[in-house]
Amino acid sequence: MTEIINDVLGDPVFAICALISVMGALTVVSRRNPIHGALGLMLAFLAFAVLFIRLNATFLAAMHVLVYTGAILVLFLFVIMLLNLSREELGREYGVATKGAIALLVAVMCGLLLFAIGKDPDLARPASPIVDRVLYPGSAQELRVAEDGGAGSKPWGGVDHVGTALFGRWIFPFELVSVLIIVAILGAVVLAKRKLPPES
Amino acid sequence: MRWIDLAKIGFVLAMVLSIVPVLVWLERKVSAFIQGRIGPNRTAVFGMRMAGLFQPLADAVKFIFKEDVVPLRVNRFLYTLAPTLVFVPPAIAFTVIPFGNKWGNEPLIVADVPIGILLLMSVLSISVYGLAFGGWASNNKFSLLGGLRSSAQMISYELTLGLTIITAVMMAGSVNPIEIVEKQAREGWNIVGGGNLWLAPAGIVATLLFYVASLAENNRLPFDLPECDAELVGGYHTEYSSMKFAMFFMGEYVAMVTMSALMVTLWLGGWHFPGLTRLHEGPYHWTEALVSHMVFMVKMGLVLFLAIWIRWTLPRYRYDQLMDLGWKRLVPLALATLVVVGVVGVLTHV
């Protein structure tokens, strides 16, 4: 535990960004005004991007801001602004009992996650090798090569490494995901274009 | 942080901010020329008129001393934040543009980061929030609709922009702006295929697509619906006045500068000029640094002039036409260009 505290305090950028992301996330779940929630989510996303950069995942950081902050969250905002719900329409607050039950559930889930991470010696190691393990899920030797920066002087997690991993070893799951997304888009189109029965 | 980084940051900031008033002046003068008028020529300092070059200064003074009207029941925080969100991201995005080759061993770029162009894209995508928040926080239905309209426009044209940027990145084989420009200096500009003549048609098409998308990104005519005050009651900045409006206004021009610089970097060879071999082969004295910077600035100026020329020549698109153009024509065309560049590039071994 003291080790973790020392790690956090020894890395002010991480400490500040972690604080911002947690506070942003708390804003999202605690505010009744959806615009404030969206702002909090935006702050959290930007802090995540900095954390990704700290983990050497520069490509992921750029894509995260570009896709989530720059596009998806803007669509959330569109919906919020177009509906422009008043205080009454937003509905009643949950009771203390419900809030407590939700908090307990979330705490248990987080605890389970932390427990699982603590059990796995590889995941419990410092951050950047985790990124490595995702990108180079091969043998320990491959992992060592990656740790030495074997693929040239460029830092891991850059565009070239992610590209090689996505279009090399992981090409099949990658293409499956694209099929999945196409199906989702087609589904949305079918739902939006469906002819409603008259007088409904 | 080294002192030279600070110096470069200061230089780029001063450069971008001092281009803006010149650009405003140029816009007025060119529009006057195209419409057969004289344009601003009355402002003077100590009796010197300088063809109205002091007009932007007078504009700035006027903006500062205007009353800052804030409508009733606006969301103060977001209302104040919105102009900043429009103004700051394009200025930050300029950090990854190489504005010259080298001075000694020092590359003339503020931040030489491995993700380069991607960083620029992601930073620029933040400025959508300025439009959306500005429209929503004004507590005015027309502003809200204007904000939604402009943000939808930006998101739509960002697709075309992104696809054409990927095309340029594929031609250069790198996302690092320095490497992109160096590859063009060695082998040929991307607009003519980056040294591979088979790719020249695709290069020209992609350059045009990029330019059209960048005009739409910056809300420039023929895509400037926020300026449409007679039919649409303006856009997201209808309720803004004084310096807050000036921030929106300047943000548009800074975005134009950044987009033109990106266009020069990606397609028009950056600081490279055919024949001036010393620019990329060295020695990298201050003279070469200065000349490479001037080449970059002249190219950027020409691209900016083209934007002004287009603004005072073409009529405005209607909103549905704008969306049709973006989604049904430009995006498929940009995708096709991307595929062509990929296939032809592999077949002819870039």
Side-chain angles (χ1 to χ4, degrees):
Chain A
M1 196 63 199
T2 48
E3 269 178 47
I4 294 177
I5 292 172
N6 279 336
D7 279 353
V8 169
L9 291 183
D11 188 350
V13 177
F14 170 78
I16 292 169
C17 288
L19 195 67
I20 292 176
S21 59
V22 170
M23 289 198 349
L26 281 178
T27 318
V28 178
V29 291
S30 64
R31 288 307 175 101
R32 292 308 273 183
N33 186 336
I35 290 276
H36 294 161
L39 260 180
L41 196 58
M42 176 186 165
L43 262 186
F45 278 168
L46 291 179
F48 290 165
V50 179
L51 290 180
F52 281 142
I53 291 177
R54 299 288 297 171
L55 293 171
N56 260 331
T58 46
F59 178 72
L60 197 58
M63 283 302 121
H64 185 73
V65 175
L66 190 60
V67 175
Y68 282 88
T69 322
I72 291 180
L73 193 52
V74 178
L75 292 183
F76 286 5
L77 269 180
F78 274 19
V79 175
I80 295 170
M81 288 173 172
L82 278 176
L83 291 179
N84 219 0
L85 295 176
S86 63
R87 200 169 283 276
E88 299 83 61
E89 286 169 312
L90 284 172
R92 258 180 340 105
E93 290 260 345
Y94 291 122
V96 180
T98 326
K99 276 183 182 170
I102 294 171
L104 193 68
L105 192 65
V106 172
V108 168
M109 297 297 259
C110 287
L112 276 176
L113 201 61
L114 282 177
F115 183 70
I117 291 174
K119 276 281 173 193
D120 189 332
D122 282 341
L123 286 178
R125 280 191 305 161
S128 24
I130 297 180
V131 179
D132 253 33
R133 237 170 70 96
V134 177
L135 287 183
Y136 301 92
S139 61
Q141 196 193 342
E142 269 179 77
L143 185 62
R144 255 196 303 285
V145 170
E147 275 177 6
D148 295 337
S153 57
K154 288 189 180 172
W156 343 296
V159 180
D160 33 7
H161 289 95
V162 176
T164 316
L166 265 190
F167 291 99
R169 184 188 281 263
W170 297 107
I171 181 73
F172 187 61
F174 179 73
E175 294 297 338
L176 277 187
V177 168
S178 67
V179 171
L180 191 70
I181 292 174
I182 291 268
V183 168
I185 293 173
L186 286 181
V189 170
V190 167
L191 279 180
K193 287 273 177 188
R194 127 189 95 159
K195 284 205 177 70
L196 292 175
E199 306 293 324
S200 66
Chain B
M1 171 158 299
R2 302 166 304 155
W3 66 268
I4 188 130
D5 287 329
L6 276 177
K8 282 195 280 194
I9 292 172
F11 178 76
V12 163
L13 202 59
M15 178 175 81
V16 171
L17 290 184
S18 57
I19 291 175
V20 170
V22 177
L23 202 57
V24 173
W25 170 79
L26 194 70
E27 180 120 64
R28 293 180 153 209
K29 275 298 190 188
V30 171
S31 73
F33 175 73
I34 288 175
Q35 296 172 343
R37 296 184 283 115
I38 295 172
N41 68 346
R42 293 286 128 181
T43 45
V45 173
F46 301 121
M48 284 190 300
R49 285 188 177 171
M50 304 270 292
L53 197 54
F54 296 116
Q55 186 68 42
L57 205 67
D59 285 349
V61 172
K62 192 188 101 176
F63 268 130
I64 292 170
F65 284 103
K66 273 233 167 183
E67 186 190 353
D68 189 3
V69 183
V70 180
L72 265 183
R73 291 183 62 203
V74 302
N75 185 326
R76 281 247 173 193
F77 177 67
L78 290 180
Y79 183 78
T80 319
L81 183 70
T84 323
L85 280 180
V86 171
F87 179 75
V88 173
I92 293 178
F94 207 97
T95 49
V96 293
I97 305 267
F99 52 91
N101 188 10
K102 279 183 209 166
W103 186 345
N105 284 324
E106 198 59 41
L108 294 182
I109 182 172
V110 173
D112 182 16
V113 288
I115 43 174
I117 299 294
L118 290 176
L119 180 79
L120 184 140
M121 282 294 288
S122 55
V123 170
L124 277 183
S125 72
I126 299 290
S127 53
V128 182
Y129 285 97
L131 314 185
F133 284 149
W136 183 79
S138 296
N139 191 28
N140 174 339
K141 287 195 174 68
F142 294 107
S143 290
L144 172 62
L145 289 176
L148 293 176
R149 206 162 42 224
S150 297
S151 358
Q153 172 182 341
M154 272 191 88
I155 294 179
S156 308
Y157 279 81
E158 224 168 61
L159 285 176
T160 312
L161 202 70
L163 286 171
T164 47
I165 287 177
I166 293 174
T167 313
V169 165
M170 273 168 61
M171 283 181 177
S174 170
V175 284
N176 186 319
I178 293 183
E179 286 172 23
I180 291 176
V181 176
E182 275 175 356
K183 162 95 180 348
Q184 293 183 75
R186 273 197 317 273
E187 295 171 21
W189 297 1
N190 276 341
I191 186 173
V192 287
N196 182 345
L197 275 183
W198 293 102
L199 291 178
I204 293 170
V205 171
T207 309
L208 285 176
L209 284 175
F210 176 88
Y211 194 63
V212 172
S214 76
L215 287 180
E217 277 288 292
N218 297 340
N219 283 314
R220 288 286 297 187
L221 222 133
F223 311 106
D224 65 337
L225 295 157
E227 303 290 326
C228 218
D229 48 1
E231 309 96 297
L232 300 172
V233 199
Y236 48 90
H237 51 43
T238 306
E239 296 287 355
Y240 281 85
S241 53
S242 186
M243 270 320 273
K244 292 203 187 87
F245 175 77
M247 289 278 274
F248 274 127
F249 187 70
M250 277 159 57
E252 183 189 314
Y253 281 95
V254 173
M256 266 175 80
V257 172
T258 304
M259 277 294 175
S260 309
L262 184 61
M263 166 120 175
V264 170
T265 305
L266 287 181
W267 304 103
L268 304 177
W271 42 259
H272 173 253
F273 193 81
L276 296 180
T277 45
R278 277 175 66 179
L279 288 190
H280 54 95
E281 285 167 5
Y284 305 116
H285 296 310
W286 68 270
T287 41
E288 278 79 15
L290 187 67
V291 171
S292 67
H293 178 57
M294 294 319 287
V295 169
F296 176 80
M297 292 298 274
V298 167
K299 285 182 186 173
M300 199 170 87
L302 288 177
V303 175
L304 285 169
F305 178 76
L306 189 61
I308 297 175
W309 189 5
I310 288 173
R311 172 165 182 185
W312 298 99
T313 311
L314 293 181
R316 185 181 288 139
Y317 272 91
R318 216 173 50 217
Y319 189 63
D320 58 326
Q321 293 171 333
L322 176 129
M323 282 294 172
D324 269 5
L325 181 74
W327 286 100
K328 294 187 186 161
R329 300 203 167 78
L330 294 189
V331 169
L333 199 56
L335 259 178
T337 320
L338 187 67
V339 172
V340 166
V341 167
V343 172
V344 175
V346 168
L347 289 181
T348 55
H349 298 291
V350 180

